[in-house]
Amino acid sequence: MTGLPRYAPMSAAAGPLPHDDDRWSYEVKFDGIRALAYVGADLRLISRNDKDITAAWPELADLAPADPPFVLDGEIVTFRPDGRTSFEALQPRMHQRHPGLIRTLTATVPATYLIFDLLHIGDRSLIDLPYARRRRLLEQLDPHGPHWRVPPRLTGSGERVLAESAKLGLEGILCKRLDSPYLPGRRSPLWTKVKNVRDQEVVIVGWRPGAGRREGRIGSLLMAVHDRRGELTYIGNVGTGFTRRMLDDLAAALRPLRRDDPAVAADVADAVWVEPRLVGEVSFAEWTGDGRLRHPSWRGLRPDKAADDVVREPRT
């Protein structure tokens, strides 16, 4: 990184779709690991929390050398056979530093660096330029190779782009104001993330006690659905999306349903098990490969639904 200044990544704020499409650019929101790439005589990859993660991703080393040197912003991802990214598949590689295991994982779980911004080139910082100008310079630089590329900008209205991303099962989109500078280390609505979420009815089979601000209250709910054979199957826990009132109501509703043993097969420490009678609804990002909900958020109880009728919803 000799001669290149250090930058902190700019973050997107969650928000609604823009209505003035002519002032925005749209991109796919990829599900991976954010990394800034410092490309000079060699490559250095720096994570969102300012850690050097270069050694974990040897397939990206050939981005270097570069003259003049430059700084890129992007996302390290792995792709499923259907073309979607898989954060789950990245897990074995994220904290691995053993050279032999890294070589094995590189062959079995190859990564791709998806580049979406250019922050610096030569002796010039570009962060004060509008996004549209930085993007044109990035496309002129055209960094592409076997494990890195610049994904295309999406055309059409934000509403249409989001709908298409949902059809493809993508996590969502990023909306970037064409006139926005790059704001290192800041979360700004000049970059807005709009995620596709899905809903699932769940049977509450237990809960775990809370800690910290939730000490003495429910920390998370343990969830299940009926599988194709009609058997109740554990699908994980949900610990976000609650108000204090919701937690109080849930505690009152679950108190008389306590039981000693679980109604599902689940190895969960310090669980308080209940009869599988109450039904709720959560929003979530995706199903993981082992049948868990990823990023579930509580929406509320569904007293109009019977526990016996709760099954895994098909992907739309």
Side-chain angles (χ1 to χ4, degrees):
M1 292 194 313
T2 304
L4 291 172
R6 196 75 161 250
Y7 293 97
M10 178 177 175
S11 298
L17 277 172
H19 296 295
D20 47 350
D21 289 315
D22 59 332
R23 301 178 65 187
W24 295 81
S25 179
Y26 301 110
E27 304 171 5
V28 170
K29 185 181 187 306
F30 293 104
D31 198 6
I33 300 169
R34 185 79 173 276
L36 268 59
Y38 296 80
V39 190
D42 57 9
L43 170 70
R44 287 292 178 269
L45 293 168
I46 307 298
S47 67
R48 187 191 296 271
N49 58 351
D50 204 35
K51 303 294 185 182
D52 190 324
I53 58 172
T54 311
W57 313 101
E59 63 266 56
L60 305 182
D62 287 343
L63 260 169
D67 187 19
F70 49 84
V71 181
L72 304 170
D73 191 359
E75 197 92 0
I76 299 172
V77 304
T78 57
F79 285 102
R80 298 173 175 172
D82 63 5
R84 291 185 295 154
T85 56
S86 172
F87 188 75
E88 182 184 1
L90 279 176
Q91 297 298 304
R93 299 197 56 181
M94 288 176 62
H95 307 293
Q96 184 56 251
R97 295 297 181 268
H98 187 281
L101 290 175
I102 288 174
R103 285 194 295 271
T104 299
L105 289 169
T106 299
T108 57
V109 190
T112 300
Y113 187 45
L114 299 177
I115 302 161
F116 51 71
D117 217 322
L118 177 63
L119 311 188
H120 195 102
I121 189 164
D123 58 1
R124 183 186 178 191
S125 174
L126 307 179
I127 62 173
D128 290 331
L129 295 179
Y131 168 76
R133 176 63 175 149
R134 297 197 311 276
R135 177 73 191 210
R136 285 196 296 271
L137 290 172
L138 175 62
E139 291 169 354
Q140 290 171 14
L141 183 65
D142 191 25
H144 67 275
H147 294 283
W148 57 91
R149 64 176 183 265
V150 178
R153 288 179 283 179
L154 307 176
T155 59
S157 68
E159 188 173 294
R160 178 181 175 184
V161 166
L162 183 63
E164 288 298 316
S165 74
K167 287 182 182 178
L168 294 172
L170 301 175
E171 185 182 1
I173 63 173
L174 285 171
C175 315
K176 297 183 178 179
R177 271 272 297 267
L178 295 172
D179 61 352
S180 65
Y182 191 94
L183 304 173
R186 290 177 55 185
R187 185 177 302 278
S188 170
L190 293 173
W191 286 11
T192 298
K193 57 184 177 182
V194 184
K195 296 181 68 174
N196 296 311
V197 294
R198 296 155 62 188
D199 298 327
Q200 172 67 51
E201 294 164 8
V202 299
V203 180
I204 302 171
V205 294
W207 55 276
R208 298 183 67 189
R213 289 183 298 176
R214 285 205 193 160
E215 187 172 359
R217 293 174 174 268
I218 292 172
S220 63
L221 295 175
L222 309 179
M223 307 176 292
V225 298
H226 291 92
D227 62 19
R228 293 178 180 178
R229 297 172 297 179
E231 295 179 358
L232 205 57
T233 304
Y234 178 68
I235 60 169
N237 63 57
V238 55
T240 61
F242 301 100
T243 64
R244 291 178 67 90
R245 176 63 182 272
M246 285 179 179
L247 292 172
D248 289 341
D249 291 345
L250 284 163
L254 293 171
R255 192 174 298 118
L257 300 179
R258 290 182 63 162
R259 57 184 284 168
D260 294 331
D261 57 332
V264 294
D267 185 15
V268 181
D270 69 2
V272 178
W273 302 107
V274 299
E275 296 289 343
R277 297 181 187 172
L278 289 185
V279 176
E281 185 170 287
V282 297
S283 60
F284 68 102
E286 66 177 355
W287 288 95
T288 66
D290 59 352
R292 303 287 191 263
L293 294 185
R294 183 162 179 262
H295 296 328
S297 180
W298 183 252
R299 298 191 66 186
L301 286 170
R302 291 296 304 264
D304 58 326
K305 299 291 183 179
D308 288 344
D309 297 331
V310 174
V311 297
R312 174 171 169 168
E313 296 293 332
R315 189 167 74 86
T316 56

